[in-house]
Amino acid sequence: MSQPDSFNLKQIAVPAFGPSLLYGISNGAILPVIALTAREQGASVAAAGLIAALIGIGSLLSNIPSALFTERFGEKRAMAGAAVLSVIGLLLVIGVPNLWVLALAMLMQGCAQSVFQLARQSYMIEVVPLAYRARALSTLGGTTRIGTFIGPFAGAALIHFLGLDGAYWIAICAMLGAGLIAIKAPDIEPSGRAGKGAPRARMGEVARDHRGVYATLGVGVMLISALRASRQVVIPLWADHLGLDATTTSLVYGLVAAVDMSVFYPAGKVMDQRGRLWVALPCTLLMGLSLMAIPLTGGVTSFILVSVLLGFGNGIGSGIVMTLGADAAPPGARTQFLGIWRFMADLGASGGPVALSVLTALVSLGGASFGVGTLGLVAAGVFWRWLPRRAHA
C-alpha cells in the first residue's frame, strides 16, 4: 500500500473511479425505463413498480454471497464477473421481451450491483492509505452519483433512435467498460484477507465477534440508508401534493442532485482531517430535520429550499457508510464483515420507503415524512455516542 506522504488520489483515478463512474452511468440509464419496459410488455402499474424494485431486492439478498465470492476470487475478478452478469441480464432484456425475463434480469442487476460495490470498496481499502480513506471513499460514492446523473441523459439520446432498448445498450457499453478497466487494474496485495493456507473466517463467527459494532454503528448506517431512500420518495410525492407539474418536479430533483454531487470531496477531506463524526452528525441531522420540515413547506420556494438542504445533507454523507465500514472491518475477515455491513445498509434502504408507506396510510404523507425524519435524530445520537471525536492517528 502507498505511504501517505507519497500518495495522491490521481495515481489511482482511472482504476479506482473509472468503473464506478461507468457503473453509475449504466444504472442511471436503465432506472427511468425499467417500469416503462414492464408496462410496454403488459405489466400493471403495481407489477411494473415491483419489477423496478427487484434491483434493490437482488442487492439485499446478494450481499453476503457477494462477500464470499469476493473473498474467494479477489476484487478484480469479482468486479469483472459482476460486469459480465449485468451485461448478460441487459442483453436478455433486449433479446427476450418477456416480463419474467425482465424480472430475472433486474434480479441479476441487483446481484451484480452487490458484488461490484463490495469489491470496489474492498479494492479501495487495499490501495488507499488510512489518512486518505474518507476522501477516496467519498469520491467513490461521488463518481457513482455523477454517473447516475449522466446516465438518463445518455439513455435518452439513444432512446430517440432505438426506442427503450437504447437505454439498455448504453448500460451494456458502460458495464463492459467498467469490467475492462477493473480487469486491467494493477494487482494488489490482499492484506485484508487471510493468506493462502490460512482458515477463512466464517460469516457466523464474524457476525458474533463484531455484534457490538453491528448493534451500534451498524444501526446508524441502517438509519442513514433509510433516510436516503425515503428522500427519493418524499420529494416527488410532496411536489405532487403542492400541485407542481412534472417538469417543475424534475427540475427540483435535478437541482437537488446537483447540490448532492458537488460536496463529496470536501466532506471526505473533513472526515480525514477532523474525524468521521464531523460529517456523520451534520449529515444525519440535516437529512432528518429537512424531512421533518417538508410538511411545513406550503409553496414552491420553501419546498425547493428544504429539498436543497436535504440534498446537501445527503451529499456531505457521500461515502460515510463505506468509510465507517472500512474503519470497523477486521483485517483478517474484511470482506465477510463488509458483506454483513452492506446487508444492514440495504435493509435500511429497503425499510425506509416501506415505513414511509405505512405511516402515510396510517396518518398522512406529511406525518410520514416527519416520522421518518426523526430517524435522523436517532442516527445522530448513535454516532454522537459511539463515533470517536477525533480523526484517526
Side-chain angles (χ1 to χ4, degrees):
M1 186 181 289
S2 304
Q3 294 303 312
D5 57 358
S6 63
F7 182 79
N8 189 312
L9 283 178
K10 292 178 182 178
Q11 298 168 0
I12 60 166
V14 173
F17 305 125
S20 294
L21 178 66
L22 290 168
Y23 165 77
I25 290 173
S26 174
N27 210 32
I30 66 171
L31 284 177
V33 301
I34 296 167
L36 297 178
T37 304
R39 290 285 288 155
E40 198 176 70
Q41 294 173 3
S44 65
V45 173
L50 177 61
I51 288 173
L54 287 175
I55 293 181
I57 295 170
S59 178
L60 174 68
L61 296 177
S62 301
N63 277 312
I64 291 176
S66 295
L68 299 174
F69 183 82
T70 304
E71 166 72 15
R72 182 173 182 83
F73 296 104
E75 286 82 10
K76 285 177 54 175
R77 290 186 181 88
M79 283 187 282
V84 170
L85 180 65
S86 174
V87 167
I88 291 172
L90 294 168
L91 287 171
L92 283 173
V93 174
I94 295 171
V96 189
N98 176 279
L99 276 179
W100 287 106
V101 172
L102 179 64
L104 174 63
M106 291 309 106
L107 280 174
M108 291 170 71
Q109 299 310 302
C111 294
Q113 173 179 289
S114 177
V115 175
F116 191 89
Q117 292 184 347
L118 179 68
R120 242 353 18 221
Q121 182 182 7
S122 202
Y123 176 84
M124 295 294 283
I125 295 171
E126 293 288 357
V127 300
V128 177
L130 177 59
Y132 287 83
R133 176 179 287 168
R135 269 167 284 189
L137 291 174
S138 292
T139 303
L140 185 67
T143 51
T144 302
R145 293 178 192 197
I146 291 171
T148 304
F149 185 75
I150 294 171
F153 297 103
L158 209 55
I159 287 171
H160 180 72
F161 298 101
L162 302 177
L164 293 181
D165 285 355
Y168 297 101
W169 281 117
I170 290 289
I172 288 168
C173 292
M175 285 308 297
L176 286 173
L180 185 63
I181 294 173
I183 205 67
K184 286 186 172 294
D187 287 312
I188 54 175
E189 192 66 29
S191 60
R193 293 192 293 272
K196 290 183 179 179
R200 296 180 185 274
R202 296 179 180 274
M203 279 289 182
E205 293 172 354
V206 173
R208 185 179 65 249
D209 293 345
H210 301 280
R211 59 186 179 274
V213 177
Y214 291 129
T216 53
L217 295 179
V219 170
V221 304
M222 281 182 65
L223 296 176
I224 285 182
S225 299
L227 291 168
R228 284 176 165 167
S230 298
R231 92 189 193 286
Q232 294 177 322
V233 179
V234 167
I235 289 177
L237 287 180
W238 195 256
D240 180 68
H241 173 78
L242 294 177
L244 305 185
D245 58 30
T247 302
T248 305
T249 301
S250 296
L251 289 173
V252 172
Y253 211 88
L255 178 61
V256 171
V259 172
D260 190 329
M261 292 187 300
S262 65
V263 292
F264 61 83
Y265 187 81
K269 191 170 184 179
V270 169
M271 277 195 282
D272 278 331
Q273 297 182 346
R274 303 299 299 271
R276 312 321 192 201
L277 185 66
W278 283 74
V279 164
L281 208 59
C283 165
T284 49
L285 286 174
L286 281 172
M287 282 201 291
L289 292 172
S290 296
L291 284 168
M292 293 169 72
I294 286 282
L296 305 178
T297 61
V300 177
T301 302
S302 58
F303 173 63
I304 290 175
L305 288 174
V306 172
S307 297
V308 166
L309 195 62
L310 182 56
F312 179 78
N314 185 57
I316 62 174
S318 174
I320 186 71
V321 171
M322 290 189 290
T323 300
L324 295 180
D327 290 343
R334 181 171 289 151
T335 49
Q336 293 92 330
F337 179 91
L338 292 176
I340 300 171
W341 189 263
R342 286 197 55 79
F343 176 81
M344 294 185 71
D346 279 356
L347 203 58
S350 302
V354 171
L356 189 76
S357 298
V358 171
L359 287 173
T360 300
L362 293 176
V363 190
S364 66
L365 178 60
S369 182
F370 187 91
V372 172
T374 60
L375 298 179
L377 307 185
V378 177
V382 169
F383 292 132
W384 178 261
R385 169 65 179 82
W386 279 286
L387 268 184
R389 298 288 185 268
R390 298 180 180 178
H392 290 266

